């Protein structure tokens, strides 16, 4: 069987694997963002108990293997705690969110801590509540600084999604591996080259989306790129003519 026939016959399985990969990646990214803010805000809290619990959770999920966490949720928790998940996709999303959310919490904590002290003092002068400080002043400024590292983290979630094949999910990587088992060594190179291209395209789209968000965020804070100079017939900028 030639490689083109093999790819044509395997297209439905590859598309289904792509669907699983996209679903796990999008769900993992959303959960990563939520957990990053939850743990990041808790890690910077004034209350010692809240801060301590957050640090323990962060270090636990950062310090243990993603593969071990996947196996723990699939095999260990049903035996020890009688907790069983009906969907392995849900397990994949949950573990990716917890693992990468622990890394993302440091992004949130660092960006919030980088907001100038004068901004916090202004909030106190205006008698803002803690929620008002975060929603109206702190997070809008800190969010712009979070976007680039969150873009990198999103790509890590995409690449980490390939590990869900270890718990029985047929994602894009697992589908390609199944297809490779029916191919020759030379055809396997083509199959995995296609796989590389697909992952690259998804990563590029994710990175482009985050760059767009960054531009929008900076524009909202008045930090957008300078306007292109406009010249009149005499060679002066429009702003100079207006002046």
């Amino acid at each position: 069987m030639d490689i083109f026939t093999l790819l044509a016959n395997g297209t439905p399985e590859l598309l289904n694997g792509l669907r699983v990969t996209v679903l796990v990646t999008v769900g993992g990214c959303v959960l990563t963002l939520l957990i990053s803010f939850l743990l990041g805000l808790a890690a910077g809290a004034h209350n010692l108990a809240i801060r301590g619990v957050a640090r323990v959770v962060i270090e636990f999920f950062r310090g243990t293997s993603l593969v071990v966490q996947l196996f723990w949720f699939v095999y260990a928790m049903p035996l020890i705690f009688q907790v069983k998940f009906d969907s392995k996709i849900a397990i994949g999303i949950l573990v990716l969110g917890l693992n990468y959310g622990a890394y993302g919490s440091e992004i949130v904590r660092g960006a919030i801590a980088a907001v100038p002290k004068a901004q916090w003092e202004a909030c106190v002068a205006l008698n803002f509540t803690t929620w008002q400080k975060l929603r109206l002043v702190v997070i809008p400024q800190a969010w712009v600084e979070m976007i680039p590292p969150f873009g990198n983290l999103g790509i890590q979630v995409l690449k980490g999604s390939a590990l869900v094949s270890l718990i029985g999910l047929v994602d894009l990587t697992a589908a390609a591996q199944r297809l490779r088992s029916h191919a020759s060594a030379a055809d396997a190179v083509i199959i995995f080259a296609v796989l590389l291209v697909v992952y690259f395209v998804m990563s590029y789209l994710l990175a482009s989306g985050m760059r767009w968000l960054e531009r929008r965020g900076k524009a909202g804070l008045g930090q957008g790129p300078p306007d292109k100079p406009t010249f009149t017939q005499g060679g002066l900028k429009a702003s100079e003519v207006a002046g």
Side-chain angles (χ1 to χ4, degrees):
M1 184 182 298
D2 63 90
I3 183 61
F4 298 105
T5 304
L6 186 64
L7 288 173
N9 293 340
T11 295
E13 188 170 14
L14 289 173
L15 290 176
N16 185 65
L18 178 62
R19 181 189 66 83
V20 172
T21 293
V22 171
L23 184 60
V24 171
T25 299
V26 172
C29 285
V30 171
L31 189 58
T32 293
L33 189 63
L34 293 175
I35 292 177
S36 295
F37 272 92
L38 178 64
L39 292 178
L41 291 173
H46 295 295
N47 187 291
L48 180 60
I50 295 176
R51 193 167 67 249
V53 170
R55 292 308 316 174
V56 169
V57 173
I58 290 170
E59 296 306 326
F60 175 81
F61 282 100
R62 288 203 309 174
T64 54
S65 167
L66 179 59
V67 175
V68 174
Q69 291 168 18
L70 283 168
F71 287 156
W72 178 267
F73 275 85
V74 174
Y75 302 113
M77 289 188 69
L79 293 175
I80 300 174
F81 302 108
Q82 302 301 313
V83 177
K84 186 175 181 180
F85 295 88
D86 295 328
S87 171
K88 289 185 177 180
I89 289 181
I91 294 176
I93 292 173
L94 178 61
V95 174
L96 287 172
L98 288 170
N99 186 276
Y100 291 106
Y103 289 96
S105 65
E106 291 299 292
I107 297 173
V108 173
R109 186 188 63 81
I112 289 177
V115 173
K117 186 178 179 181
Q119 299 292 322
W120 293 90
E121 294 172 347
C123 293
V124 174
L126 293 171
N127 199 29
F128 280 177
T129 64
T130 301
W131 171 242
Q132 287 176 320
K133 292 177 189 177
L134 293 174
R135 182 173 63 88
L136 299 175
V137 178
V138 176
I139 290 181
Q141 296 181 62
W143 171 243
V144 175
E145 303 301 323
M146 297 179 199
I147 294 176
F150 267 132
N152 293 333
L153 201 60
I155 294 174
Q156 293 297 321
V157 173
L158 170 62
K159 293 189 292 186
S161 68
L163 294 176
V164 300
S165 61
L166 298 176
I167 59 174
L169 279 175
V170 183
D171 69 321
L172 184 60
T173 301
Q177 180 67 16
R178 288 187 177 186
L179 199 62
R180 184 209 60 81
S181 64
H182 302 291
S184 64
D187 291 342
V189 174
I190 298 176
I191 292 171
F192 284 113
V194 172
L195 190 64
L196 283 175
V197 171
V198 173
Y199 273 106
F200 168 75
V201 170
M202 289 192 290
S203 298
Y204 182 80
L205 292 175
L206 182 58
S208 298
M210 296 305 288
R211 285 194 295 270
W212 178 81
L213 278 178
E214 184 180 9
R215 289 194 298 269
R216 288 292 301 271
K218 287 185 176 181
L221 295 176
Q223 300 176 5
D227 295 332
K228 293 182 179 179
T230 303
F231 295 92
T232 63
Q233 188 174 0
L236 294 177
K237 293 182 181 178
S239 58
E240 294 176 354
V241 174

